[in-house]
Amino acid sequence: DEVQRGDIVTSPGWLRSTTLVDCHLRYLADAPGPLKHNTAIDFFSGAAEAHARVRLLGKRVLAPGEEGWVQIRLDRPVALVKGDRYIIRQPSPSNTVGGGRVVNTFPGRRHRRFDPAVIERLETLAHGTPDEVVLQALESRQPCEVRELLQRASLSEQQVRDALQSLIHDGQVLVLDGNTPGSQPPAGATFVVSRSGWQALRERIEHLLSDYHSRFPLRAGMPREEVKSRLARHVPKLTPRLYGEILDRATGEGWLQEGGSAADRLRLGSHQPAFTEKQKQDADYLLYTFRQAPYATPSVTQCEEEVGDEVLNALIEQGQLTKLNDDVILLTETFDEMRDRVITEIGQQGAITVAQVRDLFNTSRKYALALLGLMDEKRITRR
């Protein structure tokens, strides 16, 4: 009871049923009239049968005896591969009116009817070499996983893998996980992209970061997650893994670099944050003020009033200052010294109080609490 007429026996994981296919159609000369767009028909391929509608591509109607490109929407899933023959019949009275070959079993979406690029792609799929077919399937939506490309290219798995190997060797396709050119791309979650697709992706990232650098010249770079959210508008299925592999290749090529205190920012390799002469003077004076009273420094608000938030954030990102909380900020060298002395005291006594920290540095309770709070946050100490 589980086996139905039209079912296909196949190796696991290779064949998927589809409800939308691109086809070349020869409309019979003795058909009763022209074939109009969105006409209801009965579709037959092998032993499979399904009700369907025909979407004409590139033509408003198909006259008897004419040939053309169509997209057929099936009312139920049918197992098809590129090259399968089919016929169509008008439902009532039942009469064969045409047939042809399946060209693409997973177009992904409905095509624009009068887009020349669509017709050009279908011509390539029908008559192009496996390399051309695979490259075109990749360029329609990229980057993508190899296993997705195996399904989209409407070729056998071995044909797709051979074509990919050839395209990688010729430099027309890049493997994002860093495989060397000419290597056989593994199955699974490996991502590939065409060279032109990678160039377009690079230009988009460079434009994004260049604009950010011009607006915030002192910042170490744009937050990684902000870059990802902006990029997701243009890259389909931008998963964390795909995003990580894009960044790995970009940083490997050198034009993209990580920055910030926790490598949480991205910048162009050509960008180096630099103070103006006035900003450098302000920053130097602020640091001088910190050194004069290392355990009783100006508040964050006072620092911002003195040098501006951009200069202050730059000093923090450069590692010259350490922000303990929203109100307390220290020279990084002072924080390191205080941290080490607290660790030594705890090692000798087993514990330390806020009052003891305050007295150890002859500072106020505010600074002692801020120091211990950050040490707790960093899991150096435990309250």
Side-chain angles (χ1 to χ4, degrees), residues 203-233:
E203 289 174 359
R204 190 172 296 282
I205 296 173
E206 286 180 329
H207 176 75
L208 192 64
L209 293 179
S210 179
D211 179 65
Y212 188 86
H213 294 330
S214 66
R215 289 187 292 121
F216 306 107
L218 294 182
R219 296 189 185 180
M222 193 173 186
R224 289 171 63 108
E225 287 306 306
E226 186 175 348
V227 175
K228 181 175 182 292
S229 65
R230 299 280 191 90
L231 208 56
R233 303 170 190 173

Side-chain angles (χ1 to χ4, degrees), residues 97-108:
V97 292
R101 288 183 182 271
V102 174
V103 173
N104 185 9
T105 54
F106 289 98

Side-chain angles (χ1 to χ4, degrees), residues 105-125:
T105 54
F106 289 98
R109 61 183 183 275
R110 293 194 308 173
H111 297 311
R112 293 181 178 179
R113 289 187 59 200
F114 300 101
D115 185 350
V118 170
I119 304 302
E120 183 179 346
R121 285 197 298 270
L122 293 175
E123 292 284 355
T124 300
L125 285 172

Side-chain angles (χ1 to χ4, degrees), residues 18-23 38-43 50-56 70-78 107-111:
T18 182
T19 57
L20 185 66
V21 288
D22 295 336
C23 304
N38 215 31
T39 297
I41 51 95
D42 289 330
F43 175 92
H51 297 302
R53 287 190 177 273
V54 179
R55 302 186 70 251
L56 299 182
V70 297
Q71 196 169 42
I72 299 178
R73 169 75 69 178
L74 306 168
D75 73 343
R76 70 174 186 86
V78 175
R109 61 183 183 275
R110 293 194 308 173
H111 297 311

